[in-house]
Amino acid sequence: MQKRVYIFFLFLIMALPLKIILAQGSGSISGRVVDKGTGEPLIGANVLILNTSLGAATDYDGKFTIHHIPVGKRTLQISYIGYETSKLEIDVTTKHLFLGDIQLTPTTFEFEIEVTAQAKGQREAINQQLTSNTIKNVVSAERIRELPDESAAAALSRLPGISLQQGDKIVVRGIQAKQNVVLLNGVQLPSTDMQDRSVNLGFISSNMLSGIEVIKVLTPDMDANALGGVVNLRIMEAPKGFHYDILTRGVYNSQDRTTDNYRFWASVSNRFFNDKLGVFAQAFLDRTNGGSDFTSGGFTILNDKVPFGEAAYKMDSFTFTDQEHIVMNGGGSVILDYLFPQGKIILQNSLSRNINDLADYRTVLNFSQTLATYSLFRDKNNRDLLVNAFLTEYNFGKLKAELNLSHSFTQKKTDLRYGDPGQNFGFDDNYPFGIIGYTSNGNPIARTYTAQSASFTPEDVYKIAIDDSSIYRAKMAGWAVMRWEAFKQNLYTAKLDFTLPVSLTNYINAEFKAGAKFDRSVRKNDVEGAYHRVGDNDMYIGAQGLIPRPANRPLSPTYPLMLNEIMNWDYGKNRGKYFLDGDYPINNVVDKGLMDVFLPKARSGWGLSRHVANSERDDFNGTETFTAGYLMSTLKIGPQLTLIGGIRYEKYDMNYKATFVYVTHSVDGVSLLFDTLNTVKRSDINWFPNIHLQYKITDWADIRLAYSKAISRPDYQAIMPNIYYAPNEQTVFGNPYLKPTVINNYDAAIYLYSNKIGLFTLSGFYKKMKDVFYQSRIYYQNLKYFNANFIDSAAFRAVSIKDLPEPSELITVYLNNPNPGYVRGFEVEWQSNFWYLPKPFNSIVLGINYTRTWSSMEYLRIENTDSTYKQGIFTRHKYKTEVKTYKSRLLYQGDHILNLTLGFDYKGFSGRISYNLQDAVTSSIGTRPEEDAKTGKIPRWDISLKQRLPIEGLSISFNGVNLFRSAVKSYRTFKRPNQTEAVSNLITTSYSPSFYELLLRYEF
């Protein structure tokens, strides 16, 4: 029944424009709506011909055009929140009427107030939301800059329904980052991640932006590959006149006491040839010396034969990590635009570069062996984002044509990486580390923790004292692993749209839109790995002479490198003494500068050092092609009712080549590479229906309803035809036949707005997801339960592999969940300036939004129970398989998101205090329910104070970011030894720095 109703309305909306009545005796008008005092364009103003359904919203230049107006005397009404509504009598003829600039006057009250730039920006954002044909949130450049948000990601986290994943990826309404789309001035950005389709926004400066749009409901003229929504980062075009803007700031990191942080940004713009040609250029550079303080407990299962959910785990290690993360971001953009009488051309070129210099200084306490390990994880890499675009629009009479041609490019390249967690590389002290006293001749008396550690909590570990003499016994041990990651992705796009307004009657008008789009993505991932045993004879050959030593003790497995020979002796006097607020100083760390030279030198003597298995397993290259077309109609019935309907067609073609690695000796990296079963060509076709309804209840309220369908295509690594098979050790399959996740969205929103109210929005959403894909480890024999038996025994035999996976062998693979997932929720937002209150309350600014989300999905949990029986002299294993389900939230979906901003503007002073709360989320799904990890709530307080100085255009600001440094904690629920019930156990704790900024800005 539901489908029949939808088809009827879709047919009605799409068929009406076909009955085009090119009414005789009609005309058209155009004009520009501006602020009376400044002449600045007003974006999103609502322009209506009274007593008809005809109207338009002003664009980013303040311009509008209305066609098919019946000839004769008409009344034009222009409204804009924060301004007096204006009515203009016009005489429409069959010729086009250009009205020029229509000036609106800001709202006046009984008392004089000063309207700040922040208030103007807020008005602009509100009006854009109101005149949008869909449900979206808009934030202006002024609103972005009134809070201390250094990046686009931080600015976005202030909006309703938005949370952050991994610090700078955008989660929309509980849908994780890889399933949303990010645009820069309407141009889609390729992935900046090695594994999936997500985009990091931490290296896009918030100062680059003229505004942000978060579109919650797709329309047919938009790509369908966004389950949560679309983020569009807008870059400014040149306003009228010559302008420049310079910003500089110094930043203090209070956690690590660093002052070598800075930010610079500058822009310049002008218009030429009677304002037809606009040139806008900007550049930025910033450096942040940050990093978090981490503690983490390692737990192992005591008995994996017990029922799922009943297993006990013991603590077998604990890690202290002092992170030094130096990030440099730089880039800029040049925007050229040229105005024609009937159109416009924009040329956009934007570049951002991100340089990461990461050092994790770790002290690991191993309780099973009672030894301490001092290790260093290093990752120096850079990422680039480039966007080139040619955008043009032109009006051929009533027909508007838009052509967009663009190229966007991302890449990542590792300069140096070693010491990956879990690779067992560092400096080991085999002497027990718990000190309980000293002998008469000064030798330490140690305590072992093999038994006690099973029931340890982090608080117990903090009390353990480490012997300072440990640094003289700790020697290099384990495996020296180096890794280089690189990827490149080019995305080429061509898009053509046509829009035709038609008039059916005076009270029924429509806009018919059709278009096509072509995307081609070219991507290559390349990983190189070197892997060497520290105890091998050739470990130190290439590094001889780097460390001063006696001639009779050259570096060798007999005389290995000692921690005290390559230690940073000053670290504990500076950064290290502030670890965990000085409660647990980190003193004994490897000198990163020395190790950065030592390890590459040592590698030069390893001979054939390339580890084939680790170098080939994640490599792939290939293309994805998207071909799309759509039909869409906007039908306006009277001044109150608007219907939008349409359908979109998308064809997806994929052609990838990956690797088939059969590991014959994992330690030495001896592997066979097969040029078979490692290519895939695949084509999918999808249709996406869409319908919206908007009803204007009164002049100050409207309601919106929408149904839309969207899709999320699998991650790169998930869909690759790669096979990594190390018998009895590890098996990882890609799944080229993984289905995309498809979602049906139902949305409703009510908007209340006026000069006094500001904008109050209440919206609700319901999402049903099918074929949700996720990574899991399951038994080889159970692939059939997920329709994932794409690699079977015959495939292995075809390439002469005789060591087939055992039925009970765990396989890492991406799977589609046969059960649907659901997301439900609502968003409440209120934006207001209390201009109408008596002094001093008329200077108060309020912004508040709250999102409540519920999500659930029945995950499959394959439980295999192992039992044995005798068959002659042999003991045989028999596995009983049970397919069960358990309900849990979607990954990275929090129940609550709250943002509150309270401000005060008085003359040249502006102050803001803000609070952001991201609720607890499920961060990973394990093989057993005891291994599921949840991250706790993340609260954050910020403050921003700004004062204009006596010199016009000059201002000074003070910002405090993350004022109270609340700990971020993660938990797992399991039993401890000798416990009868599972409890929530603290696994990791991290503290991020507070930053204090002093900023100087000059605007002309």
Side-chain angles (χ1 to χ4, degrees):
M1 181 65 182
Q2 179 184 2
K3 291 184 177 179
R4 293 179 181 176
V5 172
Y6 171 77
I7 292 172
F8 171 77
F9 276 105
L10 178 63
F11 175 79
L12 175 66
I13 296 170
M14 297 301 299
L16 280 173
L18 298 179
K19 185 186 175 184
I20 298 176
I21 302 174
L22 298 176
Q24 298 296 320
S26 66
S28 61
I29 63 170
S30 64
R32 184 169 175 260
V33 181
V34 300
D35 181 285
K36 184 177 181 179
T38 65
E40 295 177 357
L42 298 180
I43 304 169
N46 194 22
V47 185
L48 292 175
I49 305 294
L50 293 184
N51 300 317
T52 73
S53 62
L54 299 169
T58 57
D59 61 16
Y60 285 95
D61 298 312
K63 295 180 179 179
F64 70 92
T65 300
I66 303 176
H67 294 285
H68 301 297
I69 307 172
V71 297
K73 302 287 185 180
R74 300 292 169 186
T75 301
L76 187 69
Q77 177 178 286
I78 307 97
S79 58
Y80 194 83
I81 296 295
Y83 286 74
E84 300 290 346
T85 298
S86 176
K87 293 183 180 180
L88 182 66
E89 299 297 326
I90 57 174
D91 188 3
V92 180
T93 67
T94 55
K95 295 182 179 180
H96 179 77
L97 177 62
F98 178 64
L99 301 176
D101 285 354
I102 302 174
Q103 299 179 339
L104 293 189
T105 304
T107 303
T108 58
F109 297 95
E110 298 175 359
F111 37 82
E112 183 180 352
I113 64 171
E114 179 180 358
V115 180
T116 63
Q118 292 97 325
K120 291 179 180 178
Q122 185 184 31
R123 290 175 179 177
E124 179 182 300
I126 288 174
N127 282 279
Q128 288 180 62
Q129 287 181 220
L130 293 176
T131 55
S132 169
N133 64 352
T134 185
I135 298 173
K136 70 178 181 181
N137 300 108
V138 181
V139 58
S140 67
E142 290 80 7
R143 188 177 169 194
I144 293 171
R145 292 168 188 168
E146 74 183 23
L147 295 172
D149 297 326
E150 72 285 355
S151 70
L156 277 160
S157 68
R158 310 281 184 180
L159 293 176
I162 303 297
S163 56
L164 297 182
Q165 177 183 335
Q166 298 173 1
D168 66 346
K169 296 181 180 180
I170 303 304
V171 176
V172 182
R173 288 180 166 179
I175 304 298
Q176 55 184 309
K178 64 184 181 182
Q179 296 173 323
N180 302 308
V181 170
V182 179
L183 311 176
L184 185 66
N185 258 17
V187 178
Q188 183 171 341
L189 301 183
S191 166
T192 59
D193 192 275
M194 193 75 185
Q195 307 292 334
D196 61 36
R197 300 179 186 272
S198 61
V199 178
N200 298 85
L201 295 178
F203 63 101
I204 297 180
S205 171
S206 60
N207 290 299
M208 288 183 63
L209 307 177
S210 65
I212 300 175
E213 301 171 329
V214 180
I215 301 166
K216 305 289 183 63
V217 180
L218 304 179
T219 51
D221 56 344
M222 302 172 64
D223 288 344
N225 59 329
L227 298 190
V230 175
V231 174
N232 185 25
L233 309 174
R234 296 198 60 86
I235 299 178
M236 187 181 297
E237 297 174 20
K240 188 175 181 179
F242 176 68
H243 301 273
Y244 61 86
D245 195 349
I246 302 172
L247 178 152
T248 180
R249 71 178 78 178
V251 186
Y252 174 66
N253 172 355
S254 68
Q255 177 168 286
D256 300 304
R257 314 300 201 271
T258 62
T259 57
D260 53 343
N261 308 282
Y262 54 80
R263 295 194 178 104
F264 297 104
W265 177 77
S267 71
V268 61
S269 67
N270 203 355
R271 300 202 71 86
F272 306 92
F273 307 119
N274 296 323
D275 294 334
K276 292 181 179 179
L277 175 64
V279 180
F280 178 83
Q282 61 177 332
F284 70 94
L285 177 67
D286 64 67
R287 183 185 193 272
T288 302
N289 186 344
S292 299
D293 292 351
F294 293 98
T295 63
S296 176
F299 295 84
T300 55
I301 192 170
L302 291 177
N303 182 4
D304 61 359
K305 307 302 185 206
V306 300
F308 278 40
E310 297 296 323
Y313 287 72
K314 68 172 183 176
M315 181 187 286
D316 60 0
S317 67
F318 197 85
T319 303
F320 298 89
T321 303
D322 192 7
Q323 184 182 80
E324 182 182 18
H325 193 188
I326 300 173
V327 180
M328 291 192 66
N329 297 311
S333 58
V334 177
I335 309 291
L336 306 177
D337 70 274
Y338 191 86
L339 303 177
F340 296 101
Q342 299 298 324
K344 181 179 184 179
I345 291 177
I346 300 175
L347 293 175
Q348 172 190 339
N349 296 277
S350 300
L351 172 67
S352 291
R353 162 157 277 212
N354 167 245
I355 301 174
N356 282 281
D357 187 347
L358 176 68
D360 283 354
Y361 301 100
R362 293 191 172 97
T363 300
V364 183
L365 306 184
N366 187 322
F367 298 117
S368 60
Q369 302 176 44
T370 62
L371 62 84
T373 298
Y374 306 95
S375 64
L376 171 64
F377 168 59
R378 291 285 281 135
D379 188 4
K380 297 176 67 175
N381 64 75
N382 59 77
R383 291 179 297 184
D384 293 300
L385 171 64
L386 173 67
V387 175
N388 311 112
F390 170 82
L391 315 172
T392 182
E393 59 182 55
Y394 198 83
N395 294 296
F396 299 93
K398 297 180 177 64
L399 180 67
K400 180 180 179 180
E402 297 173 90
L403 174 65
N404 297 342
L405 303 174
S406 66
H407 163 244
S408 50
F409 168 77
T410 57
Q411 71 170 359
K412 175 186 177 181
K413 183 179 180 182
T414 299
D415 297 320
L416 181 67
R417 177 168 170 158
Y418 60 82
D420 281 78
Q423 296 293 346
N424 188 28
F425 173 67
F427 291 82
D428 289 350
D429 176 17
N430 291 313
Y431 192 87
F433 51 74
I435 306 303
I436 59 175
Y438 293 87
T439 64
S440 58
N441 42 355
N443 293 323
I445 302 173
R447 172 183 288 163
T448 60
Y449 292 95
T450 304
Q452 300 97 311
S453 68
S455 57
F456 271 176
T457 66
E459 288 73 19
D460 296 323
V461 181
Y462 292 155
K463 299 174 184 177
I464 297 174
I466 297 180
D467 178 16
D468 288 337
S469 65
S470 177
I471 60 174
Y472 299 99
R473 296 187 300 268
K475 58 185 178 182
M476 183 180 281
W479 299 87
V481 178
M482 303 184 71
R483 179 180 173 91
W484 295 265
E485 296 180 346
F487 74 79
K488 293 182 180 180
Q489 183 174 356
N490 290 275
L491 179 60
Y492 306 92
T493 300
K495 182 181 179 184
L496 181 61
D497 300 278
F498 294 98
T499 305
L500 179 66
V502 297
S503 178
L504 304 174
T505 71
N506 285 351
Y507 294 94
I508 302 177
N509 291 274
E511 184 178 82
F512 182 70
K513 191 172 183 179
K517 184 180 181 183
F518 175 80
D519 282 342
R520 178 177 172 82
S521 171
V522 181
R523 175 141 180 150
K524 180 179 180 180
N525 273 31
D526 183 22
V527 176
E528 292 294 319
Y531 192 85
H532 206 69
R533 195 194 327 259
V534 168
D536 286 352
N537 290 328
D538 59 353
M539 171 64 198
Y540 299 106
I541 292 177
Q544 293 296 334
L546 286 177
I547 304 297
R549 277 204 165 189
N552 62 344
R553 292 178 58 87
L555 284 173
S556 67
T558 305
Y559 305 109
L561 182 65
M562 306 299 290
L563 175 60
N564 66 298
E565 295 179 298
I566 198 167
M567 197 172 94
N568 183 342
W569 293 91
D570 294 326
Y571 194 83
K573 302 174 186 176
N574 300 298
R575 192 185 194 109
K577 72 178 181 180
Y578 306 118
F579 183 73
L580 298 184
D581 288 332
D583 294 335
Y584 201 98
I586 294 285
N587 298 311
N588 309 324
V589 303
V590 177
D591 188 310
K592 67 176 184 180
L594 292 176
M595 186 59 82
D596 287 354
V597 175
F598 179 87
L599 205 55
K601 284 286 187 180
R603 176 177 173 261
S604 67
W606 294 352
L608 187 61
S609 63
R610 183 176 185 265
H611 193 277
V612 176
N614 285 347
S615 297
E616 296 288 344
R617 60 181 297 178
D618 295 323
D619 291 358
F620 69 84
N621 64 84
T623 62
E624 291 179 334
T625 302
F626 299 87
T627 307
Y630 71 91
L631 296 173
M632 171 181 169
S633 179
T634 302
L635 181 66
K636 294 185 177 181
I637 303 174
Q640 295 175 296
L641 180 62
T642 301
L643 291 173
I644 301 174
I647 194 164
R648 185 177 183 87
Y649 161 90
E650 288 189 356
K651 183 174 183 289
Y652 166 73
D653 295 290
M654 140 179 137
N655 186 352
Y656 279 113
K657 182 175 182 179
T659 52
F660 184 168
V661 180
Y662 173 51
V663 181
T664 57
H665 196 295
S666 60
V667 172
D668 295 330
V670 179
S671 306
L672 300 176
L673 305 179
F674 294 102
D675 194 20
T676 183
L677 302 177
N678 64 339
T679 59
V680 63
K681 291 184 179 181
R682 172 178 164 180
S683 182
D684 296 325
I685 293 177
N686 298 94
W687 293 87
F688 302 96
N690 193 296
I691 189 166
H692 296 235
L693 180 149
Q694 179 179 353
Y695 185 75
K696 193 173 180 63
I697 304 171
T698 69
D699 290 340
W700 48 269
D702 70 68
I703 187 171
R704 306 180 186 202
L705 304 173
Y707 163 76
S708 60
K709 184 178 179 181
I711 195 171
S712 176
R713 296 181 175 88
D715 303 333
Y716 298 112
Q717 288 292 354
I719 208 170
M720 286 302 125
N722 58 343
I723 303 171
Y724 178 84
Y725 180 42
N728 301 315
E729 292 186 11
Q730 186 183 25
T731 302
V732 182
F733 289 162
N735 186 351
Y737 302 103
L738 199 65
K739 297 177 183 178
T741 299
V742 176
I743 192 168
N744 288 283
N745 301 286
Y746 302 87
D747 291 86
I750 183 167
Y751 289 27
L752 306 175
Y753 44 88
S754 74
N755 285 328
K756 289 189 176 182
I757 294 175
L759 175 63
F760 179 85
T761 306
L762 173 63
S763 58
F765 52 90
Y766 172 82
K767 300 173 181 288
K768 183 178 180 180
M769 307 168 67
K770 179 183 177 182
D771 293 320
V772 176
F773 55 85
Y774 62 98
Q775 188 181 43
S776 184
R777 296 180 71 221
I778 64 173
Y779 296 102
Y780 181 74
Q781 66 183 21
N782 300 138
L783 287 173
K784 59 186 178 182
Y785 292 103
F786 294 88
N787 295 319
N789 52 344
F790 46 88
I791 300 296
D792 55 22
S793 300
F796 282 88
R797 292 193 184 98
V799 290
S800 302
I801 295 178
K802 298 179 181 179
D803 295 326
L804 302 177
E806 294 292 332
S808 61
E809 189 171 334
L810 280 171
I811 308 296
T812 301
V813 66
Y814 277 85
L815 305 166
N816 287 115
N817 192 351
N819 301 315
Y822 299 91
V823 181
R824 308 169 181 85
F826 65 86
E827 300 168 348
V828 182
E829 182 180 26
W830 185 26
Q831 303 177 52
S832 185
N833 289 72
F834 297 98
W835 308 302
Y836 50 89
L837 296 179
K839 294 181 180 180
F841 303 106
N842 61 349
S843 296
I844 295 175
V845 178
L846 175 68
I848 183 171
N849 62 71
Y850 169 72
T851 304
R852 178 68 169 98
T853 308
W854 297 266
S855 74
S856 64
M857 186 164 67
E858 295 282 348
Y859 290 87
L860 284 191
R861 185 85 81 182
I862 306 295
E863 300 185 9
N864 279 16
T865 304
D866 183 9
S867 60
T868 60
Y869 63 94
K870 286 288 186 179
Q871 187 176 47
I873 62 173
F874 299 103
T875 299
R876 302 294 186 186
H877 290 264
K878 183 179 181 180
Y879 295 94
K880 178 185 177 182
T881 298
E882 293 183 85
V883 182
K884 297 182 179 180
T885 63
Y886 74 101
K887 183 177 288 188
S888 183
R889 292 184 297 183
L890 299 180
L891 289 174
Y892 295 102
Q893 178 268 311
D895 291 342
H896 308 274
I897 302 173
L898 175 65
N899 284 287
L900 172 64
T901 300
L902 188 63
F904 189 84
D905 296 329
Y906 180 71
K907 294 185 177 180
F909 173 79
S910 176
R912 298 288 186 274
I913 184 168
S914 59
Y915 174 72
N916 172 266
L917 173 67
Q918 296 188 27
D919 200 15
V921 300
T922 299
S923 53
S924 65
I925 299 293
T927 304
R928 302 178 62 100
E930 303 94 331
E931 297 169 358
D932 295 352
K934 295 178 174 60
T935 301
K937 297 179 180 180
I938 307 175
R940 172 175 148 172
W941 288 90
D942 303 315
I943 190 171
S944 180
L945 305 173
K946 178 181 177 181
Q947 176 64 56
R948 288 205 308 259
L949 299 178
I951 301 175
E952 184 177 355
L954 188 63
S955 63
I956 188 169
S957 301
F958 171 80
N959 298 328
V961 180
N962 191 25
L963 293 176
F964 301 111
R965 295 179 53 241
S966 299
V968 179
K969 300 181 178 182
S970 67
Y971 304 86
R972 283 170 45 194
T973 300
F974 55 76
K975 297 178 182 178
R976 294 289 186 87
N978 303 319
Q979 288 182 334
T980 58
E981 294 184 0
V983 297
S984 180
N985 293 282
L986 178 62
I987 305 300
T988 65
T989 303
S990 69
Y991 295 87
S992 297
S994 298
F995 292 102
Y996 296 94
E997 308 173 340
L998 189 62
L999 180 150
L1000 193 66
R1001 183 170 192 163
Y1002 182 68
E1003 302 174 82
F1004 173 79

